[in-house]
């Protein structure tokens, strides 16, 4: 009976991925090998966005010990891109196909700080909650193995000056670990291209007082912002 129960458990764990593959015949199985020294993908897509609305983006080769700093205006797709990378890597590690034409990466542990919340019950502010998450990530990277780290708008709960100082220090420490790091930020001063730091951005176009997003990742630092434009579009009647 124990052998039968264990067999049923295996079938039950595999069946969802079989169904997933059946409903997504265009998804491809990634190449996963400990010999691979980077993360990359072709036409990477978010598996939870309908195919009619989903925008494919490249994930150019990023080696372990390198980072990708993503700047961009509000609602342009920065956070969605991080989630797209993370979700597809999780799918691949589970043995499922991924929403990409081609993808490869080594076995990795995923560490993220994307959604943090304050707590009245525990007396923890939004900023302190994020700091605790960053501390956990830094401690984990001291262990053996390779890490995929996803940081959304790093330290957004504090002032610009201290955020920039701390973010640079955190990034420097992460670069000394066996990690591939993705960071989204509004701090363009953090987005400095170096040998181990790549820069990309998302942006929008404005026509007839309406913002339009193509949700396509582009090289380099963003040249414009849209926070004040959003205030104007919503007719807040502010003296800007």
């Amino acid at each position: 009976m124990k052998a039968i129960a264990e067999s049923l458990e295996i079938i039950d764990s595999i069946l969802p991925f079989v169904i997933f593959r059946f409903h997504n015949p265009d998804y491809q199985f990634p190449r996963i090998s400990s010999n691979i020294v980077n993360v990359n993908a072709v036409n990477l897509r978010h598996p939870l966005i309908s195919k009619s609305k989903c925008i494919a983006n490249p994930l150019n080769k990023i080696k372990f010990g390198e980072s990708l700093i993503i700047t961009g205006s509000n609602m342009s797709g920065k956070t969605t891109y991080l989630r797209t990378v993370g979700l597809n890597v999780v799918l691949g590690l589970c043995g499922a196909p991924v929403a990409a034409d081609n993808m490869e990466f080594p076995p990795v542990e995923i560490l993220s700080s994307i959604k943090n919340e304050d707590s009245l019950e525990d007396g923890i502010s939004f900023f302190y909650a994020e700091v605790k998450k960053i501390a956990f990530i830094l401690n984990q990277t001291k262990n053996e193995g390779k890490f995929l780290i996803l940081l959304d708008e790093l330290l957004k709960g504090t002032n610009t000056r201290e955020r920039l100082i701390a973010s640079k220090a955190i990034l420097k420490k992460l670069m000394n670990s066996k990690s591939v790091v993705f960071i989204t930020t509004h701090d363009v001063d953090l987005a400095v291209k170096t040998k181990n730091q790549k820069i990309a951005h998302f942006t929008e176009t404005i026509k007839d007082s309406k913002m339009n997003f193509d949700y396509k990742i582009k090289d380099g630092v963003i040249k414009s912002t849209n926070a004040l434009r959003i205030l104007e579009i919503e007719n807040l009647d502010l003296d800007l």
Side-chain angles (χ1 to χ4, degrees):
M1 291 297 293
K2 182 180 179 181
I4 294 174
E6 290 176 348
S7 297
L8 288 174
E9 288 176 357
I10 293 173
I11 293 173
D12 191 50
S13 64
I14 293 175
L15 190 58
F17 298 112
V18 175
I19 296 172
F20 181 75
R21 171 66 170 175
F22 176 79
H23 287 291
N24 298 280
D26 57 324
Y27 286 14
Q28 303 296 321
F29 287 96
R31 178 172 173 258
I32 304 175
S33 171
S34 57
N35 294 324
I36 297 173
V37 297
N38 57 65
V39 178
N40 70 88
V42 177
N43 290 329
L44 191 66
R45 306 179 294 281
H46 196 298
L48 298 181
I49 298 177
S50 64
K51 295 177 182 178
S52 61
K53 296 181 180 179
C54 192
I55 303 297
N57 272 297
L59 172 51
N60 296 325
K61 287 184 178 181
I62 302 179
K63 297 179 181 179
F64 287 83
E66 293 183 340
S67 65
L68 177 64
I69 311 297
I70 306 172
T71 57
S73 35
N74 296 286
M75 304 183 296
S76 60
K78 302 188 303 299
T79 303
T80 299
Y81 187 77
L82 287 193
R83 289 172 173 160
T84 298
V85 174
L87 280 171
N88 279 289
V89 170
V90 168
L91 284 172
L93 293 174
C94 288
V98 298
D101 293 345
N102 182 43
M103 189 174 192
E104 63 177 20
F105 53 87
V108 293
E109 180 178 346
I110 300 175
L111 302 171
S112 70
S113 176
I114 293 181
K115 186 178 181 181
N116 297 290
E117 296 180 348
D118 59 358
S119 173
L120 289 173
E121 182 178 351
D122 297 328
I124 295 176
S125 69
F126 176 87
F127 175 71
Y128 192 61
E130 186 178 11
V131 169
K132 286 173 69 69
K133 180 69 70 67
I134 297 300
F136 172 80
I137 291 173
L138 290 174
N139 285 328
Q140 287 298 106
T141 58
K142 295 176 183 177
N143 300 325
E144 290 296 323
K146 293 180 179 179
F147 303 90
L148 172 65
I149 300 175
L150 308 173
L151 305 175
D152 186 34
E153 296 187 25
L154 187 59
L155 301 179
K156 56 181 173 289
T158 192
N159 64 81
T160 302
R161 176 181 172 275
E162 291 180 305
R163 179 173 63 243
L164 186 59
I165 294 171
S167 295
K168 288 180 177 179
I170 291 169
L171 185 57
K172 181 179 179 180
K173 196 164 187 178
L174 289 174
M175 289 298 90
N176 291 327
S177 66
K178 293 180 180 179
S179 304
V180 167
V181 184
F182 292 80
I183 297 180
T184 66
T185 181
H186 287 284
D187 292 323
V188 293
D189 290 336
L190 185 63
V192 178
K193 187 174 182 179
T194 65
K195 179 181 178 181
N196 296 322
Q197 187 166 292
K198 303 176 185 295
I199 308 298
H201 72 277
F202 288 87
T203 190
E204 80 290 330
T205 57
I206 299 176
K207 185 177 181 180
D208 299 328
S209 296
K210 292 184 178 180
M211 289 184 295
N212 298 289
F213 300 96
D214 62 9
Y215 304 112
K216 300 292 289 186
I217 195 167
K218 303 169 180 65
D219 290 333
V221 181
I222 189 170
K223 303 299 183 182
S224 62
T225 57
N226 68 1
L228 296 181
R229 175 64 69 177
I230 291 174
L231 296 177
E232 292 174 354
I233 290 175
E234 291 302 314
N235 298 314
L236 295 188
D237 193 28
L238 301 175
D239 184 9
L240 301 176

